[in-house]
Amino acid sequence: MSIVNKGFHGRRDQVTTALPPGQHLTSDFPVLQAGPTPRIDLDRWRFTIGTELGTEHTWTWAQLTALPPERPVVDIHCVTSWSKLDTRWEGVSLDTLFATVDTAADFALVHSYGGYTTNLPLEDLLDGKAWIVYGYDGEPLSPAHGGPARLLVPHLYFWKSAKWVSSIQLRDDDEPGFWEGLGYHGYGDPWREQRYAGD
């Protein structure tokens, strides 16, 4: 299974901005994924937060996009060593979505259309750290980059920002996701270079 789509062009540029260790700057936006790009009908699209007690909170596409938008400008860092600075997104803060969610869980397992999963501590999704984004650089988010909507968690390696997000399952325990089960680090802090288990 190929994880690098055609059109990936890495480039090492001179940069004065500090980058995490082992990273190089790119002006491209490489497309990497663990399977085919799913096509999701917006009339059937749903995003769900499920609590550890089985309560579900679900938004349709119309409901999600009617929520107050935020436009974060953030740097992103891929575990394959590229970084892209000042990326511009549009979407809904997870703080907004969690405003009505009652939970005592410590962990989240994120699910995507297509079957991908990734795990995070719940605290890394809150307090202005994460969004469900549906726009990039002033345009609707393309399917190749995770559209119609993806998770954006820019302070962690980009595999944690799951494309084609469909749900977040809150858990009392930390269950590894797709890449974590194949040897990637459970947390993925680029500044600590947590690429693989044991880093």
Side-chain angles (χ1 to χ4, degrees):
M1 158 178 12
S2 173
I3 63 167
V4 180
N5 286 8
K6 290 187 286 187
F8 173 76
H9 301 285
R11 178 168 54 229
R12 293 185 181 272
D13 295 330
Q14 294 297 321
V15 62
T16 56
T17 303
L19 293 176
Q23 297 294 110
H24 69 273
L25 185 66
T26 185
S27 58
D28 299 327
F29 195 163
V31 176
L32 295 91
Q33 61 201 51
T37 300
R39 302 294 173 172
I40 302 125
D41 183 341
L42 293 183
D43 290 336
R44 298 184 179 184
W45 184 91
R46 298 290 185 273
F47 175 71
T48 300
I49 297 174
T51 74
E52 70 279 22
L53 299 178
T55 303
E56 291 191 342
H57 303 259
T58 300
W59 293 263
T60 65
W61 183 255
Q63 289 169 333
L64 181 83
T65 56
L67 293 171
E70 294 188 5
R71 295 175 178 84
V73 179
V74 296
D75 301 339
I76 55 176
H77 309 289
C78 182
V79 72
T80 61
S81 83
W82 60 263
S83 291
K84 186 170 177 64
L85 306 182
D86 298 325
T87 60
R88 297 176 179 275
W89 305 85
E90 182 176 0
V92 178
S93 170
L94 278 172
D95 293 320
T96 299
L97 297 175
F98 271 88
T100 59
V101 176
D102 185 18
T103 182
D106 292 321
F107 300 100
L109 186 64
V110 181
H111 295 261
S112 297
Y113 291 95
Y116 180 80
T117 57
T118 192
N119 59 305
L120 305 96
L122 179 56
E123 65 183 4
D124 284 276
L125 296 177
L126 303 176
D127 297 324
K129 298 177 188 172
W131 298 263
I132 302 298
V133 292
Y134 46 76
Y136 175 74
D137 206 19
E139 300 291 337
L141 185 61
S142 71
H145 288 300
R150 75 178 297 158
L151 179 64
L152 177 65
V153 191
H155 67 282
L156 300 178
Y157 279 125
F158 212 43
W159 91 80
K160 295 291 187 176
S161 294
K163 294 181 177 183
W164 316 299
V165 68
S166 62
S167 67
I168 295 174
Q169 181 61 53
L170 302 177
R171 301 177 57 89
D172 294 321
D173 60 328
D174 190 13
E175 179 179 329
F178 177 83
W179 286 118
E180 296 83 7
L182 293 174
Y184 277 46
H185 197 277
Y187 185 64
D189 183 343
W191 294 96
R192 296 164 66 188
E193 210 165 0
Q194 294 175 332
R195 300 176 190 275
Y196 307 105
D199 286 347

